[in-house]
Each structure stands twice: as structure tokens, then as C-alpha cells.
Amino acid sequence: MSTPLIRARNLTRVYQLGGGDVHALAGVDVDIEKGEYVAVMGASGSGKSTFMNLLGALDRPSSGSLVVDGSSLGERTPDQLAAFRNQSVGFVFQQFNLLARTTALDNVSLPLIYRGWSASKRKKRAEACLEMVGLADRMDHHPSQLSGGQQQRVAIARALAGEPSILLADEPTGALDSQTSTDVMGIIDQLNESDITIILVTHEEDVGAHAKRRLLFRDGLIVEDQR
Amino acid sequence: MNIMAALPVALTALRVNALRSFLAILGVIIGVAAVIATVSLAQGAADAVEESIASLGANALNIRAGSNQRGPRRGGAGSGEPFSSDDVDALRTQLPIVVAASGTLQSNVTAVVDGVNWPTQILGAHPDYVEVRDWVIADGRLFTPQENQRSARVALLGQTVVDELFPSGGAIGSSIRLQNQPFEVIGILGERGQGSFGQDQDDIVLAPIATVRDRVTGFRRAGVRDPVQTVWIEIASGEDMTNAVAEVEDFLRIRRGIEPGAEDNFSVRNFAEFIRAFNETENILGLMLAAAGLITLFVGGIGIMNVMLVSVTERTREIGLRLAIGARRSDIRNQFLIESVVLCSVGGAIGLALGVGVSLSAERLGPLVGANDLAVSVDPAIALIAIGASAAVGVLFGFYPALQASRLDPIEALRHE
């Protein structure tokens, strides 16, 4: 069997707070294969967000090993981690985090700026990504001119722009009503069908139900792994 | 992220907070404008002095008899044994470096035409005088050496005298009474304007020195034939003026029989240097004003730093997002540095325009408040330096906020409200 896309072994993340050490992750072992659709679930404080931050190289493990897309993330320089975030993962946030006063097109092409792509190459790729999420007619709109669901679709297009192997979605429907939530989840489902690995962090059961595998976190450990 | 990609980002960020950006760069604008205006005015003044040095006559030396500090009749400079017309001739004919020489006699005189009186100055000189001093004959002609020898009653009038006594023109060929004697007006002197010390240089009558000595002042000294008050000589162009002064002094010491080691009883003045020394005070003043401008620029930089720090705080989430999608810390730092440099450069450019504007209007409006001949000279190099200095302020004062931005923790930054 080939190496999985993500392999975590005895992964811990310890925060030093005033009252002592807090074990946000207390030794996680998990393998995730390419093309999987995984929901990371659990109550707040269970360690699911910490796990996602480690997968996305926004944070570094305190101990243990984490290999993502062939990179051992604990041993990388800050600039190598930046390149990893730029090329291997795409983030979708609860609050969209689009740049105001910047068109949808420019928001989507933002990650490509850090790849040093030319303006015309960026534009072409960003247009293709916006078409993928069904916003071909909203390219020149600013976030304030878009509905919440449309803004989240722009954010998904931005995450796809760099052609990542993994899409990391942190409560992607947390700020949306139920109808738009369904639309956004529909797009994420479609992306998985086109063989993109999806890691979905959520505490909502019906959102988690879209995934084909559920990892339930409690007190910094995976307590349930359902396929 | 390269500069071409960062520039639009910076411009957008600055446009979004246009008023705040403007207030932040106000200090830079005022600093640059102050430096440009003061340096331009100082440079203009320096140029004007250069010009007035030229108007004294290029390579001109002024020679005066020393003070009389012996015997009962003492006096100040010029009261000692005067030079004579023979000395003037000797300087011109015997010293190869001297190309022209003239004595002068000057006196107050009242000029009268048709019952109108005009008190003015009469200057008696040899014909060489106009060459030594670079004077121009605007109309008519100069008197000849022959007219000088026979004390002919001929005169050239300065523009002010012409305006006062011949308001309707026709001065040349007319008769004018000086010291109750009729003189024929043979020429009009070119206009020279205000002197270095504010005197009207056109309020003058020029006549042959012998005529002035014999018919106007009656200047006599025992033992000196044809005395003169001062001597002006022109040194051949290309000669070193300091050496020329030494050569002229040696020549005159021998002529006046001064023992080696004894003090000179005359002085040779290099007027150009005198004016340059005067000019240096002005330069120092200009430098001090420019220094004040630089301090303003520095204070302006503090304003820039303040607004950049605010901007970093406001855009914490944006920074977090950029880090999450692959910006390196150096990309973030450069983005804010570029913003700061663009901000300051825009301030520098506005300040430059304002400074040039102020300088030019000072030149225009100066005469209205009595500051005549307020010249301005905007040096393109100074303009470049001003823009460069503004950009440097941007780097200097933008660096700390940019560093702060680049050190943010992406997770914290993304959670920032």
C-alpha cells in the first residue's frame, strides 16, 4: 500500500497557559487517503480546530510526526511552510475572510500572487475557479455586493485557485442560513467527486453527514472513526 | 510577491483611507515643501549675488590709498597719499596682467535742466572705467581720452537722472548744468538696477576724470599731480586673482618707495571675494532653514509610523488570511513597507509641487512687499533628493510597523475581530 496523503503519529499540541499546560491534542494517530471526504467533529475545545491548523501548517506540532502530501511539517522552515500552504492546501473559513473593496476575481487570484504568476495567467485561472463555483457572472462584484452564500463560494474558488491536494474547510456553513448551507455543501460534495480530498471541520451533524468518514474528537483524542 | 503586484494593493489601501492617508503625509508634505522653498530661495539669492559680482566687473580690483595716521591731520582709509593718474597709466602700461585701468573721483553734485534740480552723484573716470566695471553705454557714446585730457564738459547720464531731468526724452545732445557749468550729454548708461546694498546704481552722472577734478571737485593734494580717489583695474581673464593682487601690491610698493618689511600705505581689494564672503552668510542661513525642513520631515515620519501601526492593527485579519494562503513573512513585511514608501513618496511629490509653487509665487509676489529682485532657482537635483529623502523616510518609519505585521501569528490574526 502506498503512503497515505496524511499520516499523523502520536501527534500532540501543548499550549502553555498561565494555569499550566493545556493538551489541545494529546497523541493523535490517523491516516487519510487521497480523495477521502472526512468530517472532523467534536465539541468546542475538543482539539478539532487545532488538528486542522496543524494539517494546514498554520501551527506546528509540539511532538509526534505529521506528514502531509509528502512533507514532514515539523521539520520545515517558515518559508517552506508558506510554500506548502500556497500549493498543497486550500482554506475555507467560517467568516469567508474575503478582502473588502477587492473584486471577486482579485480575491480568488490572491494565492497565485504569492506564486509569482503573471497577471494574465492569474486572471485566467481565477475565472475558471469562479465558473466552477457558479459565479461566472459575479466576477467584478465586491464582497459587499454578494450574498453570504456567494461570498463563501468566492472563498471556495480562492481555495481551489492553487489546485491544492487538500481542501480544509473550517465550519464553512457556520455563518450561513440552511438553504445556502445546502448550496455550499453541494459544491463541496462536487469537488470531492472530482477527487479533491476534503477535510471538513464542523459541529453540525447534518453538515458532517455529507462526509464519507467521520473523526470524532474529544479531549484532544480521536474517540470515534466511522466510515 | 513582486513590486508590480504589491503596488496596486498599496494604492488601494491608501485610497480607502484617503483622509487619514493625507493627514499622515501632511508632515512629509510640509517638510519637503519647506526644504524646496528655502533651498530654492537661497540658491536664487546666491545666483543673484553671482550676478552682482559679475556686475562689479569680472576680474576687477579696487585700489585705495591707506589711512593717514601721521601728523596733525589724520583720517581714515583714503586719506593717505592718493594715487595719481600717472599711477593709473603705469599700471595699465607696465603690468602685463592689467588689461584696463581707471582712476575715479566721486562727488555730490546738483544737476539742473530748465530750472529743475536733481541732486545726484558725479563720477569722474578714465575711459577704461566702463570696461573694468562692465558698464554698458545704452545710447550715445563714451568720452574719448582726448576729451579727458582737455577736461571737456561732456557727461553720460544714468537712467534715473534721465528719467528725472528728461522725462520726455531727447537727452543726448542737450545741455545740462553741473556745478553751474554747462555740460553736453553725449550718452546714456545702461540700466543697472539696485546695488548689493540697495542703492540706486542708475542715479549717477559719468564724466571724464580730468573734467571732474578741474571743474567740479577741485580735488588737490600737495605733491601729487592729478590725484584720484580710487583706482579700478581689470586683470586679464584666466589669471589667478590672488596672485594678481600680490603682483599689483609689489608693483605699487616699488612705485611708492615702501621699504621691504614696512606696511603698505594702500589696499588692494578683490571685490568678488568680498561679495562671496557676504554670500556665505546667506548660504548658512539657507542651510539652517533646510535643516529645519529636515526636522519637519523627521516629525512627518513619526506620523507615517503612527498611521502604519494603525493600519496593521486594522488589517490583522487580512494579514492572517494572506499568511494562510501562502504569503511568506517577508511578503507581508514588503507589502507594508511598499505602502509606507508609496505614502511618503506621494507626500514628497505633493511637497515638491507645493515648494516649487511657493518659491515661484514668492518670486512673483516679492516685489509687492518690497522684496525686489527676489530670485528663485529650483535645482532639479534638489527635487530628486527631496523625493528620495521622502522614500527614505517611508522605509525608515515604515519598517517597524511592517515588521510587526510580518510577525503576527496567522491563527490569532484570523480570529482577530
Side-chain angles (χ1 to χ4, degrees):
Chain A
M1 205 178 114
S2 63
T3 331
L5 184 64
I6 297 169
R7 166 164 283 177
R9 285 293 174 270
N10 198 22
L11 189 64
T12 71
R13 180 68 176 96
V14 182
Y15 294 104
Q16 267 109 33
L17 292 180
D21 291 354
V22 174
H23 294 257
L25 285 185
V28 167
D29 297 300
V30 71
D31 285 350
I32 296 172
E33 299 294 332
K34 189 174 181 321
E36 278 199 83
Y37 191 164
V38 181
V40 175
M41 306 197 60
S44 59
S46 61
K48 61 184 195 300
S49 290
T50 305
F51 181 62
M52 200 200 74
N53 289 337
L54 288 175
L55 288 185
L58 290 175
D59 199 2
R60 285 168 180 263
S62 302
S63 70
S65 78
L66 178 62
V67 178
V68 181
D69 201 15
S71 301
S72 181
L73 294 185
E75 297 157 10
R76 295 303 178 101
T77 65
D79 280 0
Q80 284 171 331
L81 291 178
F84 171 85
R85 290 194 291 267
N86 188 241
Q87 285 158 20
S88 298
V89 295
F91 284 98
V92 177
F93 304 97
Q94 181 176 0
Q95 296 298 337
F96 325 138
N97 280 326
L98 299 178
L99 298 190
R101 303 179 189 88
T102 306
T103 62
L105 193 70
D106 287 343
N107 264 296
V108 172
S109 64
L110 204 55
L112 304 174
I113 285 181
Y114 296 108
R115 278 191 197 185
W117 283 21
S118 71
S120 57
K121 206 173 161 193
R122 292 200 304 262
K123 186 165 182 276
K124 219 169 148 187
R125 174 68 188 155
E127 281 170 354
C129 292
L130 279 169
E131 276 166 27
M132 238 185 278
V133 298
L135 286 177
D137 55 340
R138 295 280 192 276
M139 292 190 188
D140 295 326
H141 285 52
H142 289 170
S144 58
Q145 299 166 308
L146 298 170
S147 71
Q150 286 169 333
Q151 288 185 56
Q152 193 60 302
R153 275 145 73 187
V154 173
I156 292 170
R158 180 180 63 197
L160 294 176
E163 295 182 86
S165 15
I166 308 163
L167 187 76
L168 294 171
D170 189 1
E171 306 277 9
T173 60
L176 301 175
D177 59 52
S178 59
Q179 180 52 48
T180 36
S181 292
T182 313
D183 294 349
V184 165
M185 287 316 297
I187 290 174
I188 293 179
D189 293 348
Q190 261 177 40
L191 293 173
N192 180 245
E193 276 157 33
S194 59
D195 217 26
I196 293 175
T197 312
I198 312 272
I199 313 282
L200 178 67
V201 174
T202 183
H203 63 270
E204 291 174 63
E205 283 297 330
D206 51 344
V207 172
H210 284 259
K212 294 164 188 159
R213 179 180 175 190
R214 287 154 46 100
L215 298 175
L216 183 63
F217 275 73
R218 190 178 299 147
D219 299 331
L221 289 170
I222 297 174
V223 294
E224 236 184 271
D225 188 349
Q226 295 177 347
R227 302 236 179 199
Chain B
M1 182 153 74
N2 60 24
I3 288 181
M4 289 321 288
L7 216 49
V9 175
L11 288 175
T12 308
L14 301 179
R15 217 175 27 239
V16 163
N17 285 302
L19 179 62
R20 194 173 76 188
S21 303
F22 174 74
L23 290 176
I25 60 176
L26 205 51
V28 174
I29 292 176
I30 292 170
V32 169
V35 172
I36 297 285
T38 52
V39 171
S40 297
L41 285 168
Q43 187 60 45
D47 290 354
V49 172
E50 282 290 319
E51 208 170 296
S52 68
I53 289 170
S55 79
L56 282 170
N59 293 0
L61 292 181
N62 177 244
I63 305 166
R64 284 165 185 266
S67 54
N68 181 11
Q69 290 168 340
R70 288 213 187 104
R73 261 193 92 215
R74 299 191 179 190
S79 63
E81 182 190 340
F83 289 98
S84 68
S85 286
D86 284 347
D87 294 323
V88 173
D89 288 340
L91 280 164
R92 178 171 44 224
T93 54
Q94 292 173 27
L95 265 185
I97 57 164
V98 175
V99 294
S102 169
T104 67
L105 282 176
Q106 193 157 4
S107 170
N108 294 324
V109 74
T110 300
V112 186
V113 173
D114 292 339
V116 178
N117 289 11
W118 178 251
T120 181
Q121 294 273 313
I122 187 162
L123 177 71
H126 291 92
D128 268 6
Y129 187 78
V130 292
E131 185 190 336
V132 177
R133 302 298 306 275
D134 282 343
W135 282 19
V136 175
I137 311 294
D139 202 0
R141 63 172 181 88
L142 186 63
F143 47 81
T144 64
Q146 292 71 30
E147 282 171 320
N148 182 38
Q149 260 167 16
R150 59 167 206 268
S151 305
R153 288 188 294 247
V154 291
L156 291 90
L157 306 185
Q159 197 59 51
T160 304
V161 180
V162 172
D163 292 345
E164 292 296 336
L165 297 177
F166 298 98
S168 48
I172 292 179
S174 299
S175 177
I176 181 172
R177 289 186 78 80
L178 299 162
Q179 205 76 350
N180 286 324
Q181 297 173 73
F183 279 66
E184 186 195 347
V185 178
I186 58 169
I188 295 173
L189 297 168
E191 205 162 336
R192 295 173 58 233
Q194 224 170 27
S196 304
F197 305 101
Q199 76 277 25
D200 179 0
Q201 299 186 103
D202 298 316
D203 190 2
I204 199 152
V205 174
L206 178 67
I209 190 166
T211 311
V212 173
R213 187 189 299 115
D214 295 344
R215 301 179 190 279
V216 182
T217 67
F219 188 63
R220 289 280 178 273
R221 279 298 160 84
V224 179
R225 201 165 63 90
D226 297 342
V228 302
Q229 283 171 335
T230 71
V231 179
W232 285 88
I233 57 175
E234 182 181 347
I235 303 300
S237 64
E239 294 287 337
D240 180 81
M241 288 306 276
T242 316
N243 291 344
V245 168
E247 201 169 323
V248 168
E249 280 175 346
D250 288 347
F251 180 79
L252 291 175
R253 282 173 71 90
I254 292 166
R255 249 190 101 72
R256 289 164 78 92
I258 299 168
E259 299 286 330
E263 267 186 49
D264 288 351
N265 59 4
F266 62 91
S267 64
V268 178
R269 288 202 275 179
N270 184 348
F271 248 78
E273 271 179 19
F274 171 69
I275 295 288
R276 270 189 202 108
F278 172 74
N279 189 19
E280 266 173 24
T281 358
E282 283 199 338
N283 282 347
I284 289 168
L285 192 69
L287 275 178
M288 287 173 67
L289 289 169
L294 282 178
I295 291 170
T296 314
L297 203 57
F298 188 83
V299 173
I302 296 171
I304 296 290
M305 188 187 279
N306 193 18
V307 85
M308 289 308 295
L309 284 172
V310 170
S311 176
V312 169
T313 308
E314 271 186 358
R315 288 155 67 194
T316 299
R317 272 173 83 99
E318 176 190 328
I319 295 163
L321 172 81
R322 287 177 182 275
L323 287 169
I325 61 174
R328 286 168 300 179
R329 299 202 174 274
S330 55
D331 290 327
I332 300 294
R333 188 194 63 214
N334 292 347
Q335 179 190 334
F336 281 89
L337 260 188
I338 286 167
E339 248 180 73
S340 167
V341 169
V342 167
L343 195 61
C344 285
S345 302
V346 169
I350 297 174
L352 176 63
L354 196 66
V356 171
V358 165
S359 305
L360 294 180
S361 30
E363 193 174 30
R364 285 274 175 83
L365 301 177
L368 299 182
V369 293
N372 285 311
D373 299 335
L374 194 63
V376 166
S377 166
V378 180
D379 189 344
I382 291 290
L384 281 179
I385 289 170
I387 298 284
S390 315
V393 165
V395 173
L396 198 66
F397 289 91
F399 194 79
Y400 176 70
L403 203 63
Q404 291 282 86
S406 73
R407 284 180 175 169
L408 287 174
D409 173 42
I411 299 168
E412 291 292 321
L414 279 165
R415 280 197 206 125
H416 191 268
E417 288 305 317

